[in-house]
Amino acid sequence: MALNIKPLSDRVLIEPVAAETKTASGIFIPDTAKEKPQKGTVVAVGKGTKEHEMTVKNGDTVLYGKYAGTELKLEGKDYLIMREDDILAII
């Protein structure tokens, strides 16, 4: 099902990966101790501006700052919307 949202100018909509629920040694992490994910998949990209051509595209896996973007919930899923400048790397 396609999302009915289109980011404006140099903004990007990202679906964060799920937070780790278990450590490598098998210990379960409670919700209060989970780290906020810093990796996600680009779901929608704006057209950019005259000064800023967009680098990322739909489907790219990206790294972003821990406190980057604005959280929003669409159709029961969590997303982040942020400026492309807040993205640190494409992996």
Side-chain angles (χ1 to χ4, degrees), residues 1-78:
M1 154 178 31
L3 284 176
N4 191 18
I5 188 166
K6 179 72 177 160
L8 298 176
S9 68
D10 64 341
R11 289 187 173 73
V12 178
L13 185 70
I14 296 175
E15 182 177 358
V17 297
E20 294 291 323
T21 57
K22 192 165 60 165
T23 64
S25 60
I27 298 172
F28 286 95
I29 303 170
D31 288 340
T32 54
K34 287 183 184 170
E35 285 288 321
K36 193 172 177 188
Q38 293 177 273
K39 180 172 146 182
T41 304
V42 175
V43 177
V45 179
K47 292 187 185 265
T49 63
K50 291 178 185 176
E51 300 84 28
H52 185 93
E53 188 175 321
M54 299 302 280
T55 309
V56 297
K57 60 186 182 307
N58 288 357
D60 283 350
T61 302
V62 295
L63 296 176
Y64 49 87
K66 186 177 268 191
Y67 301 106
T70 302
E71 296 177 356
L72 56 123
K73 191 174 224 110
L74 294 169
E75 299 172 4
K77 286 183 144 183
D78 291 324

